[in-house]
Amino acid sequence: MKSARLPAGIAVALVAIAGFTGCASTTSSLRQAASDARSAAETAQLAMIQQRDDGTFLTTTQTALGDAITELGAAEQAATELQAATSAETAEQKSTLRAIRDATDAVLAAQRSVAADAGRAVPALRSTAATLTKLADRLERAEKQQ
């Protein structure tokens, strides 16, 4: 008897999860992707600053940069998979993808330079994190107006 309840409970949970995820607007989903990408870029920036200032945490820095690339890839995939319904949403999607890809490029450049000159990568990482912050804030304002 209990085995019949367990699958039914799982089914109810899956339907609830699908309902919640289906309710997110395109703007909200883009804001989340931009926020996730911003966190990844900021983490990479902090890792490179620590590496520049101390120089003893190379493996930790390399791990942080690898994790940032993974998170940026997930944010890009999330933004790519959205179905924009209006031309404004399409423009926001393109803007979000461009910013995420710029951040990815900056982190990849940081990975290449980490051992030689960690400080060189910090300005690009700072710039992409600032761009993503502005984008996420703009998307949050747009989301609240919906």
Side-chain angles (χ1 to χ4, degrees):
M1 194 68 148
K2 287 185 181 182
S3 63
R5 288 186 205 168
L6 181 59
I10 292 172
V12 170
L14 290 175
V15 169
I17 290 169
F20 288 126
T21 59
C23 293
S25 70
T26 299
T27 302
S28 174
S29 297
L30 288 172
R31 181 193 51 77
Q32 185 62 52
S35 294
D36 292 348
R38 174 189 59 206
S39 294
E42 288 174 341
T43 296
Q45 176 187 342
L46 291 171
M48 292 300 282
I49 288 169
Q50 182 65 39
Q51 182 64 32
R52 177 196 65 199
D53 293 348
D54 191 326
T56 60
F57 297 104
L58 183 58
T59 56
T60 303
T61 302
Q62 290 168 330
T63 299
L65 294 175
D67 290 349
I69 291 294
T70 300
E71 291 303 315
L72 286 162
E76 181 177 0
Q77 182 176 353
T80 299
E81 292 175 350
L82 294 172
Q83 297 296 318
T86 66
S87 59
E89 287 178 347
T90 299
E92 289 291 11
Q93 183 179 31
K94 287 179 181 180
S95 177
T96 301
L97 286 168
R98 189 176 321 107
I100 292 170
R101 289 173 182 150
D102 287 348
T104 302
D105 289 344
V107 175
L108 289 170
Q111 280 184 316
R112 289 188 297 272
S113 71
V114 68
D117 184 7
R120 185 174 73 211
V122 172
L125 292 167
R126 183 176 293 129
S127 175
T128 59
T131 298
L132 286 161
T133 297
K134 290 176 188 172
L135 175 63
D137 290 347
R138 185 179 78 232
L139 289 166
E140 184 176 11
R141 286 190 300 276
E143 181 182 11
K144 288 179 181 178
Q145 293 176 351
Q146 290 181 338

